[in-house]
């Protein structure tokens, strides 16, 4: 599979086959225009619940609603043609029971047109993942650092540091694989743990703060573009610095308005 030559929408079956092949490229997108910009270059567009902080200025992902995810998911599907679109199930929309998860995941799939959902959790979520995948809902799992469980961890902490934690993570990932998750995001784990999981799983591992040993990488696009100010996790590599570009443009616009240098005759209907 090569994203450059591919013309049709990528489904999760093709993503799964990428295990141990060319690394998978995944970026977050929350809007149609950004999806259009990223689509030619990525395998997966993730409508992450990180949108709660990035788009809505919320303190964490815990306040994100199903309606937010559906609205942004639908926009990303409309703005893209080739990438496999995966939409996060928000906190509280799937943990209660497999039935609750199915009801909400089915809404996400049918109302957005996305190809899969992502949910956080280890072995305790395997039953739910099996319930969804048996009923036509492809699932990407998410283990390691799980932002929706920040209140349990007491913040965002690197996972899998101890050998026993590494074993727990492997058992969780294998349970999710047996439940037919098509891929697993591994967030905030040591390189040795990421390598161990990647070697022992038959489904692709998509790393974020989990080293180059994974079968693919995901980043929050706004971090990569330097669109956010403030705290940047160590695992982010910034490929552009757009904040000063925006500041300069807006500063110039404001000055032009105040000095009546905008609009000029070329912006007028004559
Ligand atoms: O919500 C999100 O953007 C995510 C990625 C960072 C993996 O879950």
């Amino acid at each position: 599979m090569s994203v450059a030559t591919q013309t049709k929408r990528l489904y999760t079956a093709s993503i799964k086959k990428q295990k141990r092949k060319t690394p998978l490229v995944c970026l977050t997108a929350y809007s149609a225009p950004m999806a259009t910009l990223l689509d030619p270059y990525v395998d997966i567009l993730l409508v992450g619940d990180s949108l709660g902080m990035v788009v809505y200025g919320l303190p964490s992902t815990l306040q994100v609603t199903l309606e937010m995810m559906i609205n942004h998911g639908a926009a990303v599907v409309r703005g893209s043609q080739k990438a496999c679109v995966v939409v996060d199930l928000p906190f509280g929309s799937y943990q209660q029971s497999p039935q609750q998860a199915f009801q909400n995941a089915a809404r996400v799939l049918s109302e957005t047109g996305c190809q899969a959902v992502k949910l956080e959790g280890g072995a305790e979520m395997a039953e739910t993942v099996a319930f969804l995948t048996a009923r036509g809902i492809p699932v990407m799992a998410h283990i390691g650092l799980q932002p929706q469980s920040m209140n349990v961890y007491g913040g965002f902490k690197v996972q899998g540091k101890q050998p026993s934690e590494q074993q727990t993570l492997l058992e969780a990932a294998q349970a999710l694989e047996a439940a037919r998750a098509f891929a697993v995001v591994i967030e905030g784990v040591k390189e040795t743990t990421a390598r161990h999981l990647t070697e022992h799983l038959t489904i692709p591992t998509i790393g974020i703060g989990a080293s180059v040993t994974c079968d693919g990488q995901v980043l929050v696009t706004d971090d990569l573009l330097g669109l956010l100010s403030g705290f940047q996790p160590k695992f982010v590599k910034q490929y552009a610095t757009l904040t000063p570009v925006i500041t300069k443009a807006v500063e110039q616009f404001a000055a032009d308005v105040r000095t009546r240098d905008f609009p000029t005759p070329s912006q007028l209907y004559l």
Side-chain angles (χ1 to χ4, degrees):
M1 178 183 65
S2 154
V3 179
T5 53
Q6 166 212 327
T7 51
K8 285 196 282 189
R9 182 73 78 181
L10 257 178
Y11 286 91
T12 58
S14 307
I15 298 292
K16 200 173 162 187
K17 285 191 198 141
Q18 279 301 106
K19 178 80 185 172
R20 296 186 226 289
K21 294 191 183 144
T22 314
L24 290 157
V25 181
C26 176
L27 281 173
T28 61
Y30 316 120
S31 70
M34 188 56 88
T36 304
L37 277 173
L38 305 179
D39 190 47
Y41 308 102
V42 302
D43 302 298
I44 301 168
L45 284 171
L46 173 65
V47 188
D49 60 358
S50 50
L51 67 78
M53 284 105 93
V54 178
V55 177
Y56 289 89
L58 293 167
S60 75
T61 57
L62 299 179
Q63 296 78 19
V64 172
T65 65
L66 192 66
E67 277 62 38
M68 286 179 189
M69 296 312 301
I70 289 174
N71 288 337
H72 289 273
V76 168
V77 171
R78 282 194 295 273
S80 60
Q81 293 181 332
K82 302 201 299 186
C84 175
V85 178
V86 180
V87 177
D88 263 349
L89 291 182
F91 180 65
S93 72
Y94 62 93
Q95 290 93 341
Q96 192 179 359
S97 65
Q99 288 76 8
Q100 182 213 26
F102 179 79
Q103 210 162 17
N104 290 325
R107 269 195 69 192
V108 170
L109 242 67
S110 68
E111 293 180 36
T112 68
C114 72
Q115 281 64 58
V117 296
K118 175 165 81 60
L119 55 81
E120 294 179 15
E124 76 286 354
M125 291 312 301
E127 185 193 349
T128 295
V129 172
F131 193 87
L132 297 182
T133 55
R135 288 162 178 78
I137 300 185
V139 178
M140 177 183 269
H142 182 155
I143 61 169
L145 196 161
Q146 296 162 40
Q148 292 181 10
S149 299
M150 61 175 280
N151 286 315
V152 178
Y153 300 128
F156 300 119
K157 303 223 168 88
V158 174
Q159 302 294 305
K161 281 188 171 168
Q162 307 302 327
S164 65
E165 285 179 69
Q166 182 170 308
Q167 186 54 27
T168 307
L169 278 174
L170 178 61
E171 284 167 16
Q174 285 175 328
L176 294 160
E177 174 181 274
R180 298 193 183 281
F182 71 91
V184 56
V185 167
I186 303 181
E187 178 165 357
V189 303
K190 280 178 60 181
E191 179 174 14
T192 45
T193 305
R195 185 190 300 278
H196 189 66
L197 295 180
T198 302
E199 279 171 2
H200 284 82
L201 292 176
T202 59
I203 56 173
T205 56
I206 316 276
I208 175 160
S211 89
V212 76
T213 60
C214 295
D215 298 299
Q217 300 294 328
V218 56
L219 276 184
V220 170
T221 299
D222 296 58
D223 288 342
L224 172 156
L225 295 177
L227 266 171
L228 295 180
S229 51
F231 173 74
Q232 284 274 31
K234 182 181 160 74
F235 57 72
V236 171
K237 180 171 175 187
Q238 211 177 296
Y239 286 81
T241 310
L242 295 191
T243 302
V245 176
I246 294 171
T247 304
K248 196 166 164 228
V250 175
E251 218 171 40
Q252 189 61 56
F253 171 72
D256 284 357
V257 169
R258 292 188 178 116
T259 55
R260 297 193 189 279
D261 286 312
F262 175 84
T264 62
S266 61
Q267 279 98 37
L268 293 187
Y269 295 108
L270 297 171

